[in-house]
Amino acid sequence: MTFKINRVAVIGAGTMGGGIAALVASTGLPVTLLDIPARELHPEDAAKGLTLASPEVRNRVVKSLWERQLKAKPPALFTTDAAKLVSLGNLEDDFDKLRDADWIIEVIVEQLVPKQALMARIDGLRKPQAIVSSNTSGIPIKEIAAGRSAEFRAHFLGTHFFNPPRYLKLLELIPTPETKPEVVAFMRQWGSKQLGKGTVIAKDRPNFIANRIGTYAGQVRMLYAIQHGYSIAEVDALTGPLIGNPKTATFRLGDLVGLDVLAHVTNNLYHAVPEDESRETFRLPEVITRLVAAKALGNKTGAGFYKKTKGASGTEFHVLNMQTGEYESPQKVRFDLVGQVRKLPELGERLRAIFGHGTGDRAGDYLINTTLPILAYAARRVPEVADSLREIDNAMRWGFNAEMGPFEMWDALGVRATAELMRQKDIAVAPWVDEMLAHGCPSFYQRVGRRVIGVYDQQSGSYIPLERPPAAILLKELHGSERELKRNESASLLDLGDGVLGLEFHSKANSIDPQIVELGYAALKLLERDEWRGLVVGNQGPDFCVGANLGLFIGAMEAGRLGLIEQGTKQLQDLLQAFRFAAKPVVTAPFRRVLGGGTEVALAGARSVAAAETYMGLVEFGVGLIPGEGGCKELLRRVVAPHVGDGGDVLPLLQKVFETIAFAKVSESGPYARELGFLSASDQIVMNDELLIGEAKQAVLELAEAGYQPPNRSDTPIYVLGRRGKAAMLTAIKQMEWGSFISPHDALIARTLAHVLSGGDLSAPQWVGEQYILDLEREAFVALMAEPKTQERIAHMLQTGKPLRN
């Protein structure tokens, strides 16, 4: 049986439903979004001749809810044009539109009776192959489909998104015993590739996987803090990036989610799992009950565990003292143990150091005595919430943006030793863990070197192969093996297989430094050999590249060595041009933050394979500079040059390039990066960033198979407008300066940019070569580096992480 989803219907336009509709539309699929019809007129309706039967009135509810998505920050849609794919309606006048939908998802009020009534209506008109799902988080899936036809139940399942749907990766699929296996398999694959989600199969148990174990983890962390006198600030300092979690850690996460939501989920879970051996852990601590009663619900009300206030130095977040109930000024939290382990590069190393040396230390005791129960609880939930421990690890990583899931953490600590430590502390170890060890399986995952090849299966009592898509290449598995061909502190040169090389950045924030440039040239040298077919430039860090290492520039300036800056800029220019003109295809794989020089690296390939979540921009203006390694040249080539000869004036296109750079515009998605000119129509956008390196590798192979030919260096592909273009830009700059919208130094940077983009001192429009613009860029970049106010901006950015307007 073959399934295909060409049209989607979302019922319920609230926060989750509207977010799901926005996500689906952003992938290019048409969406019908329905909600209840309006039942009341507004006072001004009579003057407009509107009645309760008027479509404008009938669709008022869905329209107002959808407008929230259009205004959402961060954006719910990839681009504003994606909104055109969403058609609005109501559940009475437009219900028949569901007949055309291939997937119908219900996201209405969390009450069983209305959900069942809606399913009965859908059952009467859905087309035979249409898949129907519910986004419920607290109602048993099988009860929602009770009483429906056999065909309906065979095509019905739970699809639990996390909020906001665009940004949180996890999608839990919850089949019933009657759901066809092929429906589940299709939705798993489609959710991963089309929606970019990390899909897991969960059992139809309360709160499924992530919220069940995540709620337990949060309660354990909070209750231990209350019982042993740890402050909120101490807990958040210990349970964030140090142990592989986001900066929201524990209490900040509660404020982000909303304490009312947290209280509802936890209370619901307490009543839903009377048989859970750890049920009492789900009793809400009195501090949360008190905060909810006071309407101190977290970020949405300005106060929760933290309170947003205005201090002498700007916005401050005062911290709740859980003993007194008062908010206190933030204080620096320091632990000796944290200072000793936080710089260890790998999470497994940090965990082993904490467990190995932390007993008797305040920080160590907290982390050991809260982590052990969480790991043990996850094991005790197998097979209740999932048959595979891999599903649990994936759910916890994707649902909470964690670096490791519980079984990966346990493996890093050593399964046998950790289980023994649990027993010493009277923490129940799941019997199947002891059986696994008795069967000669010393870890939850089977590895060859750093590569994971198998996962322990509780039912068979042995390892089973770990299945993953061919495009799911994990670069860290290549480190330290024969496939890591060269390595220095900032980069690695990897064999990605099938004759494709990989240049991986792993410097701090993946910023560009001389060691990255060194390995870039080494990659080009290797590429000359017949055994290599092409190169991928990419990595799997938090961001692709945040630009050049500004600290190196400041060091050179303080030493009075401006020539070093000119030399380094020329060297990077030459490297990126060598990528562009390489005889074999170079494909870049940008994702997340791609800023400044990182954007120039991304633009240097024969093709880009970019993640949908790519935030790309030439942001040098914010530190008093303009792009110096090809950014100006590439935007002129990509945005202006293709339209010369179209019959229209290209001056507006030059102005677009000027504004993109001068306003330091950053794309809010991969598709928006295409609108700005950073990506071309031939560049690929990948929804699931875990497949990015593999898809980039495939692009190299496809280009090679097609007989790739690089551009000709002697071509003159850049069109500049000369004096006319410069005059237009200088006029706009002077108007901004007169209006006090920019500072004198801003005006200097902008005039320098106008000089480069117009072709320098050329009097007439003409075609020029790439090197001509690169020379102008480099000259301007070095000159601006010598400006004291630019140096102030760079120093301020390095010290505070924020731009300075001087």
Side-chain angles (χ1 to χ4, degrees), residues 454-532:
V455 59
Y456 183 76
D457 175 56
Q458 181 206 16
Q459 294 176 328
S460 66
S462 62
Y463 292 116
I464 59 175
L466 184 69
E467 297 181 1
R468 53 185 169 190
I473 296 172
L474 286 178
L475 298 181
K476 67 180 181 181
E477 294 185 341
L478 306 181
H479 295 166
S481 73
E482 69 279 359
R483 292 177 63 182
E484 187 173 39
L485 307 176
K486 288 181 181 292
R487 181 184 180 92
N488 60 32
E489 289 184 4
S490 298
S492 290
L493 194 52
L494 305 169
D495 175 2
L496 300 181
D498 301 312
V500 178
L501 286 168
L503 175 60
E504 176 196 17
F505 297 1
H506 45 70
S507 59
K508 185 177 180 180
N510 287 332
S511 58
I512 303 167
D513 62 17
Q515 291 182 305
I516 283 177
V517 174
E518 175 193 331
L519 275 201
Y521 280 110
L524 290 168
K525 188 69 176 175
L526 272 181
L527 208 55
E528 295 174 2
R529 297 183 186 175
D530 291 341
E531 66 199 271
W532 301 111

Side-chain angles (χ1 to χ4, degrees), residues 216 220 367-378 380 422 427:
Y216 178 86
V220 167
L367 289 173
I368 293 168
N369 292 324
T370 58
T371 300
L372 289 175
I374 294 167
L375 303 186
Y377 185 78
R380 296 198 301 271
M422 289 173 181
I427 299 170

Side-chain angles (χ1 to χ4, degrees), residues 36-38 40-42 44-45 48 50 55-65:
I36 59 173
E40 296 178 355
L41 290 170
H42 288 178
E44 65 273 16
D45 288 341
K48 298 178 182 178
L50 298 175
E56 182 179 335
V57 174
R58 301 280 285 172
N59 289 336
R60 184 169 279 155
V61 173
V62 69
K63 183 180 178 184
S64 66
L65 291 170

Side-chain angles (χ1 to χ4, degrees), residues 6 10 137 155 165 179 198 367 447 517 548 559 563 579 653 765 795 797:
N6 294 316
V10 181
S137 59
H155 293 81
T179 309
L367 289 173
R447 294 172 174 82
V517 174
F579 283 164
L653 296 174
M797 177 64 76

Side-chain angles (χ1 to χ4, degrees), residues 430-441 456 458 461:
W432 69 265
V433 175
D434 290 327
E435 292 168 7
M436 179 186 82
L437 294 170
H439 289 158
C441 300
Y456 183 76
Q458 181 206 16

Side-chain angles (χ1 to χ4, degrees), residues 11-93:
I11 304 175
T15 301
M16 285 301 299
I20 293 167
L23 170 65
V24 174
S26 292
T27 73
L29 292 178
V31 182
T32 300
L33 179 62
L34 305 182
D35 211 296
I36 59 173
R39 301 296 186 190
E40 296 178 355
L41 290 170
H42 288 178
E44 65 273 16
D45 288 341
K48 298 178 182 178
L50 298 175
T51 70
L52 284 175
S54 303
E56 182 179 335
V57 174
R58 301 280 285 172
N59 289 336
R60 184 169 279 155
V61 173
V62 69
K63 183 180 178 184
S64 66
L65 291 170
W66 178 242
E67 284 174 351
R68 295 181 189 175
Q69 298 296 331
L70 300 180
K71 299 173 183 177
K73 294 294 178 184
L77 292 154
F78 287 168
T79 65
T80 54
D81 279 351
K84 298 173 184 176
L85 289 168
V86 180
S87 60
L88 308 180
N90 67 75
L91 285 165
E92 292 181 4
D93 305 328

